[in-house]
């Protein structure tokens, strides 16, 4: 007879742990406790001890109550996904999960962690949290981001042995949450590519603005324009103050980051890493840059939205799934 195929858990952004979704089994301590109860029962039967029967059945009833409380400590919890910020390959991807307790009893000693079989992070210790009645708790679980692209959250397992530890209850949940993993920036990338010389409109080579002199610091001046050598020579008791470098013209480069112009000797991941480094460097230097990668053509711009769009295109290149 063929074994029934295991159903793949459905992804959901929120779920409630009903009684049917909570499983319970005796722990090692529970098995030892059961063996002790059997020995006590055999002794009471052998010696016809009424007090022995009473003690045995009282201890057994305590174990049953502990099993019920263990299941109730987990059942009824409402789980929801939180935020998942993009990371770079090689970093830790963090998934935020929310545990809501809508009941009137506190939920104590809940262990929350990822539980995908046969993966490196299975051995990571789970988070132990308490959720008070009518409140919620946020848990952040980490997973190594090995490669670029979308990284889906592994299945989550919630376990508890509260209150006596004789039984262990658990439930699984597959959160509908994923993290976008950007390519890791190249460490020793060449300088930013630039085109043409300075024009009448003020365009020129990267970083060749006309230095005009030193002036007093004004709110809003970039920190990278501070004239540290002159500041170090000024003593505050002599009326010294912060000064910044002043530039005329504001000439900037016609900066185009084109994936097709990279050396073909580099492999795909090396080229994506170089493009990532150039995007971050252009943003750090406040240089407007255009971006070309496959069918993605972005005009020269700056800002978080432009950077995020470029990094997203790099992360999903060759495997673009919305």
């Amino acid at each position: 007879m063929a074994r029934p195929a295991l159903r793949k858990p459905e992804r959901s952004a929120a779920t409630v742990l009903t009684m049917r979704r909570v499983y319970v089994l005796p722990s090692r301590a529970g098995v030892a406790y059961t063996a002790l109860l059997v020995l006590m029962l055999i002794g009471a039967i052998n010696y016809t001890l009424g007090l022995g029967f009473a003690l045995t059945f009282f201890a057994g009833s305590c174990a049953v109550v502990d099993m019920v409380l263990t299941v109730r400590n987990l059942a009824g919890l409402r789980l929801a996904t939180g935020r998942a910020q993009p990371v770079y390959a090689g970093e830790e991807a963090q998934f935020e999960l929310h545990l809501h307790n809508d009941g009137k009893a506190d939920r104590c000693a809940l262990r929350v962690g990822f539980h995908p079989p046969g993966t490196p992070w299975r051995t990571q210790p789970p988070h132990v949290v308490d959720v008070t009645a009518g409140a919620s708790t946020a848990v952040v679980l980490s997973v190594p981001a090995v490669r670029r692209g979308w990284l889906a959250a592994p299945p989550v397992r919630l376990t508890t042995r509260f209150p006596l530890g004789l039984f262990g209850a658990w439930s699984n949940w597959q959160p509908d949450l994923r993290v976008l993993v950007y390519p890791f920036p190249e460490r020793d990338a060449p300088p930013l590519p630039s085109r043409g010389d300075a024009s009448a409109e003020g365009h020129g080579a990267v970083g060749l603005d006309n230095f005009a002199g030193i002036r007093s610091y004004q709110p809003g001046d970039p920190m990278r324009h501070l004239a540290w050598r002159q500041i170090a020579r000024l003593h505050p008791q002599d009326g010294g103050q912060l000064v910044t470098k002043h530039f005329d013209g504001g000439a900037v480069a016609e900066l185009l980051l084109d994936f097709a112009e990279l050396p073909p000797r580099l492999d795909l991941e090396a080229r994506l890493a170089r493009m990532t480094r150039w995007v971050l460097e252009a943003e750090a230097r406040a240089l407007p840059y255009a971006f070309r990668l496959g069918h993605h053509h972005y005009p020269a711009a700056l800002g978080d939205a432009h950077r995020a769009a470029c990094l997203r295109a790099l992360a999903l290149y060759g495997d673009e799934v919305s």
Side-chain angles (χ1 to χ4, degrees), residues 161-249:
R161 293 186 178 181
F162 183 84
L164 300 181
L166 299 180
F167 292 88
W170 76 92
S171 183
N172 296 329
W173 173 44
Q174 178 61 72
D176 188 12
L177 191 62
R178 59 183 185 176
V179 165
L180 184 59
V181 182
Y182 299 144
F184 190 82
E186 186 179 7
R187 298 187 182 276
D188 299 320
L192 289 170
S194 60
R195 290 185 173 183
D197 299 326
S199 64
E201 289 79 11
H203 298 283
V206 175
L208 295 183
D209 293 347
N210 298 323
F211 177 71
I214 301 296
R215 62 175 174 82
S216 300
Y217 173 81
Q218 297 179 4
D221 286 346
M223 293 294 295
R224 61 180 178 275
H225 286 174
L226 289 176
W228 294 109
R229 292 184 179 180
Q230 286 73 15
I231 294 174
R233 298 172 184 173
L234 299 176
H235 196 278
Q237 296 180 355
D238 299 332
Q241 58 182 354
L242 293 178
V243 292
T244 58
K245 300 176 183 178
H246 178 57
F247 298 89
D248 281 339

Side-chain angles (χ1 to χ4, degrees), residues 63-132:
V64 174
V65 171
D66 175 64
M67 180 181 65
V68 174
L69 293 179
T70 301
V71 173
R72 286 187 175 181
N73 191 46
L74 199 58
L77 277 177
R78 182 163 52 90
L79 311 177
T81 57
R83 296 174 298 176
Q85 299 295 334
V87 297
Y88 296 96
E91 298 180 344
E92 293 283 331
Q94 295 185 335
F95 299 88
E96 185 181 47
L97 308 175
H98 295 277
L99 283 65
H100 303 276
N101 181 10
D102 300 325
K104 298 181 180 180
D106 297 342
R107 310 300 179 97
C108 304
L110 300 176
R111 302 166 67 89
V112 186
F114 288 132
H115 191 78
T119 51
W121 51 86
R122 182 181 180 184
T123 57
Q124 293 183 359
H127 294 257
V128 181
V129 297
D130 298 330
V131 188
T132 57

